[in-house]
Amino acid sequence: MRTSIATVSLSGSLTEKLTAASRAGFDGVEIFENDLLASPLPPEEIRARCADLGLAIELYQPMRDIEAVPEAEFARNLRRARHKFEVMRRLGADTVLVCSSVSPLAEDDDALAAGQLSQLGDLAQEFGVRVAYEALAWGRHVSTYDHAWRIVEAAGHPALGTCLDSFHILSRGSDPKGIADIPGEKIFFLQLADAPLLAMDVLQWSRHYRCFPGQGGFDVAGLVRHVLSTGYDGPLSLEIFNDVFRQAEAGPTAVDAQRSLLVLQETVGLSEPPAPVVPTGIAFAELVTPDAEPVTALLAALGFTRTARHRGKPVDLWQQGEARILVNTGPALRRDGTALAAIGLESPDPEGAARRAEALLAPVLPRRRTPEDARLDAVAAPDGTELFFCAPETPELPGWRADFADTSGQLPQEIGAERPAPGQLPTATGVHRIDHLALTQPWHHFDEATLFHRSVLGLQAQESVDVADPYGLLRSRAVTTPDGSVRIALSVGAAPGEDGAHAQHIALATDDVVAAARRFRDSGGRLLRIPANYYDDLAARFDFSEGELETYQDLGILYDRDAGGAFRHCYTRTVGRVFFELVQREPGYRGYGAQNAPVRLAAQHTAKRLTGG
Amino acid sequence: MRTSIATVSLSGSLTEKLTAASRAGFDGVEIFENDLLASPLPPEEIRARCADLGLAIELYQPMRDIEAVPEAEFARNLRRARHKFEVMRRLGADTVLVCSSVSPLAEDDDALAAGQLSQLGDLAQEFGVRVAYEALAWGRHVSTYDHAWRIVEAAGHPALGTCLDSFHILSRGSDPKGIADIPGEKIFFLQLADAPLLAMDVLQWSRHYRCFPGQGGFDVAGLVRHVLSTGYDGPLSLEIFNDVFRQAEAGPTAVDAQRSLLVLQETVGLSEPPAPVVPTGIAFAELVTPDAEPVTALLAALGFTRTARHRGKPVDLWQQGEARILVNTGPALRRDGTALAAIGLESPDPEGAARRAEALLAPVLPRRRTPEDARLDAVAAPDGTELFFCAPETPELPGWRADFADTSGQLPQEIGAERPAPGQLPTATGVHRIDHLALTQPWHHFDEATLFHRSVLGLQAQESVDVADPYGLLRSRAVTTPDGSVRIALSVGAAPGEDGAHAQHIALATDDVVAAARRFRDSGGRLLRIPANYYDDLAARFDFSEGELETYQDLGILYDRDAGGAFRHCYTRTVGRVFFELVQREPGYRGYGAQNAPVRLAAQHTAKRLTGG
């Protein structure tokens, strides 16, 4: 089906908006009146610009407070409408949105509304225009889609149909089933928006918190199925009022918008992009650093050994059990030094995974392939993190590690260090895999990141949680495979401008965090100190065996418990933007220690103040 | 009365919070449990720090999910409480807040609740602690203050009283009158918070949107009067959960908090600070600029003439009618050049105005006084703008202009220019006064700014409006005198980080904006171009006389109308951060053309793109 987006959903001047919509692959746009008024281009030029960009002008919007008013007022409204139809003629737009009236002058009189809308239809016909009448959720007398349809039906005018808007329908809790009773040819337009499930004034909710389908809590796909059952063949059009999108760059927002419609079309069976290929594990995490020493010292103390070096690039593989970390001493990507720049995802079908990512508009990265390199498909996540799809290592397929040459015994820090073979079972005190990766998202792209990881990678999103940092509130949300083999915790600051200040981290799974923490400390590692007051509180909340809490306090181990089990974890110091966490997770525990995050964040601020970095 | 603030209301580490509270003059604090847990200081040291800072620890908070639970659960709760009472003993805190339970285990059984709270009281007594039981607005079974009080009354325990929280009471729409029936000695604590009137989930409203008394929509003072009528003699304590305050610097937030309590105490008759002295006009606006030429060229084209120069400083007075603008070529205060740095307010009692400002914690600026200078009292507004209180010019008092020496005829640009005497009635085509000043506020200080202008200057606040900029949503709110002699429009971006990007402006009143705009253009001034599409829309919305709209379009004049009259206005280009507006306001019109602001903002972005600055 044709896709369309309302210009109000994107930031910038009208031409910036149009360009972004076109580049993201939209077929058309709704032109929001204020965007037209504020544009220095006359309607004819906007029309030509849209044509050049391959965009149809699907809708002009909105006309307000038209119907069910006293005669003199309606005469003024018709005069106003004539002006707007004239503008539409110049624009080449043939459908106009009329919102149900919120005017105090409007009367609760469906017959009057139908009669006046019919007169409006007569005028519209003169200009070759169709009128799509929509119930605003806060309309004065008409606030539900079935009510708006009854009025359109009563008017029985060929130039008058209805416009359905998923937000207005679902925010009111209306049952969308009744949509199936509307003849498809009388549904002149379909506007789609999702929203988080907030209990708040519906007008404020609509004006500030709408989001793209799949980013909120509404069953937008279910509604679309009802609409499709009528034979509706107009566009799927996004109309999103959102304070964040108003500030974000139009280009990425438009891509995100288009991706949401691609996923929606797949969900309702309108299209069949390549199926998601759910990753089966984390093959590696790659750190880029201008100076490898601080981070490799940390890795060595954590029990990692350098097992291999890339044949053609300054990249070392550090390994322990199934936890693999690449240290890339290429040019640092970020000014604040060491950063988590790439993730290797084990994939049963790397090419399929890459095809799906490309179909869902993930930027495909140039392949890292030299004559000797294994083929690696990679895309960029919304925060710029590179995602590599890595084949499992079988004798038939060259794995990504084929690019790495063995380096056993070459490095001084390995002398005396235990060096497990790849895939070897870890010792009890060791790290056996990456438990999760925690990535800070740019402020404008939190919901986008969640949708990306869900739709492109086939991960599942957990609940979003608020976490209090001493200097602001963070939001955090994990995306995971059902079996937990891949877990990525996405977080974002409550406000923009501090993206760089928030660290990323790699959480390493161990079966005995006490032993692992001790080994780290004995190897010269410094653990994040946790205040004694925290342990007093733990003692009040949980029962511990003799000496257990003292051990935790000594090592800075934090403790949490949910219905499924316990979670014990501790932290290293931060290098650049990156730190490590040692994690002992009982199998049933689902979380990430969010309960402890305020204490951890405060402790990191304290450590930074004490060391000045 | 004693004033207190909950540590959760301020950003930073616990010691940062305590220091900020002490500096702002608070007598005590509520210590929020998470702030204690996250602090590296043991309770004894926190106690000593508070003592050093002159702060009493008025409350430890909160204990949750204590009462009306099965016996085994209650035993665990008592064990937990014992730990907390022990911490309180070390802290030297003698009152603990217990919130009504939200636990799914809690039963709807007031007798059980009273019995268990009574047992908690027994335990508390052993530690010399008092328990203040509070109804959370979203408590599972107890959500109103009168219900909580009935349970406390039924328990009849000397160590058990109630805590009242204005947010929990007023957000539920409870009538606070019933407070007067509670014996004052059983009100163990009073927490105060205001909030904007939002229709939303009360928990989210409470956790993210609370603000200081006087900044929101609740009648906090009315509630306090009821509490005082009981003989309550505990502290007035602020407990504010607010996403913005969490990010803002603790120091200014604490001052703002204390100011809100000073104003509240004045309102309820607990204190009598110097009375507000409402300004009677704008004596001058002062621009600071690194290079006077661009801005004086603008002023000259607008019809201003340089009438005087400061005797001791590089400050020129430019005047037209009663509009006076000082151009100060001292060092620019801001990196982005020309800025509106100071406002002279005509005051019937400058010393009284300064005394009130000082009593309400406005930073008093060093007086600009040399042997020849007139005395000028000045304070800083929250955005850093200097506010001067200027005596009216009478023969007895030296006015601020006594510092300025006449310069008539000295400057080339004045040759041939009309030069009105100070106070002379303006010609029809001229500017006769400053209509309003528009100031961009730092993101964290919008509500603070409103409260400041209301309480310190005695101005009245109008409704807050949202204005769509192409790159984000702005909020704008005007503070005025009842007669409009002083009007200041405060605005703020929807997000931080862009404070410097938003311009300030000076709106100049004229009786004939067409003539004034023409004169400006004829004198070489450049008016902001407004798109033709805007005038098409005006034609649809209003009736204009023959040629009127064409004239407006030619000059870039915008038009608005409310029930009281019409508003016509146009804009100059921007110099540094500052631009000018010419305004023809019909006396009954109350607004500032907010309806037109999106078009104006888009046109300014267009102009910037075209000229590159």
Side-chain angles (χ1 to χ4, degrees), chain B residues 408-422:
Chain B
S408 58
Q410 293 183 5
L411 296 179
Q413 64 258 48
E414 282 184 61
I415 296 170
E418 178 192 19
R419 184 169 166 276

Side-chain angles (χ1 to χ4, degrees), chain A residues 43-55:
Chain A
E44 293 80 1
E45 267 188 58
I46 294 169
R47 175 184 199 157
R49 185 72 64 104
C50 286
D52 287 349
L53 291 167
L55 294 171

